[in-house]
Amino acid sequence: MTTSGVLRIATAGSVDDGKSTLIGRLLHDAKAILEDQLAAIERTTAKRGGEGLDLSLLTDGLIAERDQGITIDVAYRYFATPQRKFIIADTPGHEQYTRNMATGASTADASIVLVDARKGLLVQSRRHAIIASLLGLRHVVVAVNKMDLVGHDESVFRSIEGEFGDFLERIGITRVHVIPVSALHGDNVVDRSTAMPWYTGPALLELLETLDTDDIAKRPFRFPVQGVSRSRALDQADYRGYMGRIESGTIARGDSVAVLPGGQRTCVRDILAWHDNAATSLPTASAGQSVTLALAHEVDISRGDLIAAADTDPGDAPRVVQAFDAVLCWMSKNALDLSRRYLLKHTTRNVRARIIELQSQIDVNTGSARPAAGLALNDIGAVRITTQSALVIDPYTTIRSTGAFIVIDEDSNETVAAGMIR
Amino acid sequence: MDSNANPALSTSHLDWLESESIHIMREVAAECANPVLLFSGGKDSIVLLRLAEKAFRPGRFPFPLLHVDTGHNFPEVVEFRDRRAAELGERLIVRSVEDSIATGRVKLRLADESRNRHQSTTLLDAIAEFGFDTCFGGARRDEEKARAKERIFSFRDTFGQWDPRNQRPELWSLYNTRVHAGEHMRVFPISNWTELDVWQYIERERLAVPAIYFAHLREVIPRRGGLMPVSSLVSPRAGEQVETRMVRFRTVGDMTCTAPVESTASDCVAIIEETAVSRITERGATRMDDQTSEASMELRKREGYF
């Protein structure tokens, strides 16, 4: 199954950058804002003493956000063009809400980073790019906004393009797209601008319609077991099926698989999905599909085990570990405590863990590493973790689903960190 | 218009949405002690039931169904609710706002006022009665601007309240399902679906829905730019005219505040075409109570609403 029909985008920035205005403009010009929403925005704009349409009101949906004129949490918006469906996660730009930005960016294929043409590269734009890079987003689109306020001057744009391009390259982002726009007037948002004839690239929406997505079906097969189904299906005897979602790769009936961390080998007897009121057998299935696998041999398998491709190149095999290095985004007001025990959720497995070493802290504003004193809210650090029982992992940059985890405080139940395995 | 004329009507994305929803339901089944699925007989919860079949059949659902009956439901929808639960052979629990009124848990200001808000009390009482720690709901982020902000796994404190300023981070599809006693989680497996996706799925899966979703002749009262359906609870006020119009419901809620839209769409295909070109949002067209203030939904949700 392909997900290429849907592009997930994260935008980051604050009202000052014109981020919400840009999304509002994108939705408005793509005719994805409906009449009653426009009428509500007009009413609210007028009530607040403004004129016309304050398009930022469209995404800042919470009372507190409207009162304070800032974005606090992610808003999800949905629209489609004849080419593609889009899910936009409109995320906050203020440093104090970095965890909400990471929430929105974690599932995205592309990030749109806004830069105010008058101000050039600010700390905030850099932070957005660094988080996009850490979370492994495939594309970064830099929208140089408010071009109308610098007289549509090409040299202003080229200077920002050069400076940001160098920065993005340094932090490891390779697919970079830079567009001069005016969100307020709609230049290069949906339609190409006539005010900037020196720019010959696509408008923002055109670009978004053509961005490629990561083809996870081509990676090695990974199937974290969500649960075991013991049922009588069709005319078969009792069968044990393993429920889960294929996180990467493809699988066919008869394929050899390894059950990890135990290491037992068997092969796939059947791939089942419920269809038309019956268990239906599929010859193959691929990344993104939720299915039930039946295996050829009786193997002791439970939730949290990983069924992976067997007989792959050693470089493609997952690692079974109880200690590993990772990057942590700390998301709690309570700072990291190296002396305590945390709960770690990785794929469908929950294990107790300790963060035994804080190796360095990553400066979210420059991307450089520095010695770390501790990890507090919104800090990002490189750490070493040990777990009470084995995890089956891949590097985050190779397979997101088996390289990502969250850290939970067992007392408060709070999600205190998000982690990416190195 | 056919699907070639509008490629936005392609359905390949439905497989992806369906798989995401199944994954969410299976996570709840594995990690939550006592879940329940809120089933109203409306189209979104009808889709939830099909997704539960895809996630758990040939086994039984690892949760019962719960309906909070306002006493203001359309009779066709209540009848559909009972029939669908019986067909599936799953346990349906009904708790009613009428009972909450009788016991004094809910106090009405006006005898015939909308019971939309009052459902929250009955729902929270039912959650406490059965000790549910997780409620599946059919809410979608495209419905309303407060919903657009909500997590898929949305935490509720011991008062059943949503705190939109302090939501748990929710990265990738790693859901933190943990709650303390007395707290609970609302889980929205179709968060990422749109109204159009729901209708395309109903069509693809050939799901039955209550007849009032399709165009029919109905007595209505033009009021505040909308059409109020005449019923035992709604009759014309002074100066208002009752008219018979061809209408359908885009949502089915409390009869005193759910308005139909004019339509001749008599099957799923026609509804999909109408939805694809509609210029008005689902709730904007049909829910009078969401228009009372720009934050009606957020305020209700904070009190424990769905």
Side-chain angles (χ1 to χ4, degrees), chain A residues 237-387:
Chain A
D238 285 0
Y239 84 93
R240 286 164 66 86
Y242 303 100
M243 301 186 289
R245 182 173 65 181
I246 302 172
E247 296 294 345
S248 69
T250 59
I251 192 77
R253 272 198 301 258
D255 281 359
S256 316
V257 290
V259 179
L260 300 166
Q264 305 94 323
R265 303 284 291 262
T266 178
C267 59
V268 173
R269 197 186 78 211
D270 212 346
I271 306 164
L272 296 162
W274 190 254
H275 188 64
D276 277 343
N277 223 24
T280 306
S281 176
L282 309 173
T284 64
S286 62
Q289 272 180 284
S290 288
V291 294
T292 298
L293 295 183
L295 301 177
H297 304 94
E298 283 279 330
V299 188
D300 179 18
I301 301 179
S302 53
R303 175 175 167 84
D305 287 339
L306 183 88
I307 300 176
D311 308 322
T312 53
D313 294 338
D316 285 343
R319 289 192 296 142
V320 178
V321 298
Q322 277 186 260
F324 59 92
D325 293 321
V327 171
L328 279 190
C329 294
W330 201 258
M331 299 178 153
S332 168
K333 290 191 189 84
N334 301 316
L336 165 65
D337 182 348
L338 292 173
S339 70
R340 69 170 290 179
R341 197 177 68 180
Y342 292 97
L343 193 67
L344 193 147
K345 183 169 185 181
H346 170 260
T347 65
T348 53
R349 179 171 278 243
N350 293 291
V351 297
R352 298 226 158 77
R354 276 182 204 284
I355 296 146
I356 55 165
E357 187 190 349
L358 175 57
Q359 296 154 338
S360 61
Q361 191 178 341
I362 295 161
D363 185 327
V364 285
N365 299 323
T366 64
S368 51
R370 60 170 189 237
L375 280 188
L377 180 64
N378 298 320
D379 285 347
I380 295 173
V383 298
R384 182 150 186 88
I385 294 177
T386 58
T387 56

Side-chain angles (χ1 to χ4, degrees), chain B residues 71 107 126 303:
Chain B
K107 293 193 169 57
E303 293 170 358

Side-chain angles (χ1 to χ4, degrees), chain A residues 1 35-36 63 65-66 73 76 78 99-100 106 226 245 288 290 303 345 350 396 411 413 415, chain B residues 7 15 19 23 26-27 31 148-149 151 166 170 172-173 175-176 178 180 192 279 281 284 294 298:
Chain A
M1 181 173 63
E35 285 165 13
D36 54 312
I63 296 164
E65 292 178 320
R66 290 168 171 236
D73 212 332
Y76 293 90
Y78 304 80
R99 63 184 204 168
N100 295 337
S106 68
Q226 283 189 284
R245 182 173 65 181
S290 288
R303 175 175 167 84
K345 183 169 185 181
N350 293 291
Y396 181 80
D411 298 327
N413 286 337
T415 303
Chain B
D15 294 327
S19 263
H23 176 260
R26 287 172 168 175
E27 281 302 284
E31 294 208 342
K149 292 267 170 183
R151 302 281 187 258
N166 192 25
E170 187 170 86
W172 304 291
S173 41
Y175 304 109
N176 176 354
R178 294 170 65 88
H180 288 119
N192 285 323
R279 301 298 304 144
T281 64
E294 60 172 323
E298 180 180 345

Side-chain angles (χ1 to χ4, degrees), chain A residues 79-398:
Chain A
F79 77 104
T81 69
Q83 270 64 47
R84 201 172 223 179
K85 290 204 174 244
F86 296 93
I87 301 178
I88 300 182
D90 179 24
T91 74
H94 289 87
E95 187 161 9
Q96 71 183 111
Y97 303 119
T98 300
R99 63 184 204 168
N100 295 337
M101 189 200 324
T103 290
S106 68
T107 51
D109 303 300
S111 173
I112 300 177
V113 176
L114 264 108
V115 178
D116 185 328
R118 295 169 305 171
K119 297 178 185 161
L121 266 194
L122 296 180
V123 161
Q124 187 164 277
S125 325
R126 288 199 178 89
R127 188 169 66 246
H128 299 161
I130 288 163
I131 287 168
S133 157
L134 284 173
L135 287 169
L137 270 62
R138 189 170 173 84
H139 299 274
V140 169
V141 179
V142 182
V144 181
N145 191 25
K146 306 195 185 179
M147 284 301 293
D148 53 310
L149 297 182
V150 295
H152 302 107
D153 185 349
E154 178 174 8
S155 65
V156 172
F157 173 75
R158 295 298 171 206
S159 149
I160 293 171
E161 181 185 43
E163 194 191 348
F164 212 179
D166 291 346
F167 175 73
L168 292 173
E169 197 182 309
R170 195 156 55 74
I171 62 171
I173 294 174
T174 51
R175 296 177 187 84
V176 178
H177 318 265
V178 194
I179 305 180
V181 303
S182 166
L184 192 62
H185 301 288
D187 290 277
N188 286 331
V189 177
V190 169
D191 300 311
R192 292 197 193 188
S193 170
T194 52
M196 291 173 275
W198 44 265
Y199 173 77
T200 53
L204 179 61
L205 184 61
E206 276 179 85
L207 174 75
L208 297 177
E209 283 177 328
T210 54
L211 289 182
D212 64 336
T213 51
D214 191 8
D215 193 355
I216 47 172
K218 293 211 172 98
R219 304 280 164 77
F221 176 70
R222 299 286 184 266
F223 185 84
V225 174
Q226 283 189 284
V228 183
S229 147
R230 289 177 204 80
S231 300
R232 192 177 289 273
L234 306 172
D235 52 350
Q236 299 166 5
D238 285 0
Y239 84 93
R240 286 164 66 86
Y242 303 100
M243 301 186 289
R245 182 173 65 181
I246 302 172
E247 296 294 345
S248 69
T250 59
I251 192 77
R253 272 198 301 258
D255 281 359
S256 316
V257 290
V259 179
L260 300 166
Q264 305 94 323
R265 303 284 291 262
T266 178
C267 59
V268 173
R269 197 186 78 211
D270 212 346
I271 306 164
L272 296 162
W274 190 254
H275 188 64
D276 277 343
N277 223 24
T280 306
S281 176
L282 309 173
T284 64
S286 62
Q289 272 180 284
S290 288
V291 294
T292 298
L293 295 183
L295 301 177
H297 304 94
E298 283 279 330
V299 188
D300 179 18
I301 301 179
S302 53
R303 175 175 167 84
D305 287 339
L306 183 88
I307 300 176
D311 308 322
T312 53
D313 294 338
D316 285 343
R319 289 192 296 142
V320 178
V321 298
Q322 277 186 260
F324 59 92
D325 293 321
V327 171
L328 279 190
C329 294
W330 201 258
M331 299 178 153
S332 168
K333 290 191 189 84
N334 301 316
L336 165 65
D337 182 348
L338 292 173
S339 70
R340 69 170 290 179
R341 197 177 68 180
Y342 292 97
L343 193 67
L344 193 147
K345 183 169 185 181
H346 170 260
T347 65
T348 53
R349 179 171 278 243
N350 293 291
V351 297
R352 298 226 158 77
R354 276 182 204 284
I355 296 146
I356 55 165
E357 187 190 349
L358 175 57
Q359 296 154 338
S360 61
Q361 191 178 341
I362 295 161
D363 185 327
V364 285
N365 299 323
T366 64
S368 51
R370 60 170 189 237
L375 280 188
L377 180 64
N378 298 320
D379 285 347
I380 295 173
V383 298
R384 182 150 186 88
I385 294 177
T386 58
T387 56
Q388 192 184 35
S389 58
L391 293 182
V392 187
I393 63 169
D394 290 292
Y396 181 80
T397 50
T398 312

Side-chain angles (χ1 to χ4, degrees), chain B residues 165-304:
Chain B
R165 297 202 56 176
N166 192 25
Q167 299 193 81
R168 280 186 185 169
E170 187 170 86
L171 287 96
W172 304 291
S173 41
L174 291 172
Y175 304 109
N176 176 354
T177 60
R178 294 170 65 88
V179 294
H180 288 119
E183 302 167 342
H184 70 279
M185 198 64 87
R186 302 283 173 88
V187 178
F188 305 109
I190 61 169
S191 286
N192 285 323
W193 298 47
T194 63
E195 184 188 14
L196 184 59
D197 297 329
V198 165
W199 279 112
Q200 288 183 317
Y201 193 71
I202 288 169
E203 153 75 0
R204 187 179 89 174
E205 295 289 317
R206 299 189 300 276
L207 290 172
V209 297
I212 64 172
Y213 278 115
F214 301 113
H216 56 284
L217 286 170
R218 181 175 286 263
E219 289 195 320
V220 293
I221 306 160
R223 184 181 292 172
R224 284 197 289 163
L227 299 173
M228 285 308 300
V230 176
S231 67
S232 52
L233 301 162
V234 177
S235 44
R237 297 170 186 161
E240 287 183 334
Q241 292 285 318
V242 173
E243 299 174 15
T244 301
R245 303 249 191 114
M246 186 65 95
V247 297
R248 70 177 173 89
F249 286 90
R250 278 174 79 178
T251 65
V252 295
D254 186 307
M255 279 196 289
T256 64
C257 65
T258 304
V261 294
E262 295 206 82
S263 169
T264 55
S266 57
D267 59 22
C268 281
V269 173
I271 290 176
I272 289 165
E273 287 176 6
E274 256 188 31
T275 307
V277 299
S278 171
R279 301 298 304 144
I280 306 276
T281 64
E282 177 180 335
R283 298 191 81 86
T286 66
R287 292 297 178 93
M288 298 304 185
D289 56 331
D290 283 347
Q291 293 164 21
T292 48
S293 96
E294 60 172 323
S296 309
M297 175 69 87
E298 180 180 345
L299 296 172
R300 282 206 307 276
K301 286 185 79 68
R302 284 182 177 201
E303 293 170 358

Side-chain angles (χ1 to χ4, degrees), chain B residues 79-91:
Chain B
E79 185 197 329
F80 181 91
R81 173 199 76 188
D82 294 341
R83 191 169 67 237
R84 188 72 190 118
E87 276 169 11
L88 287 166
E90 301 291 343
R91 177 178 168 220

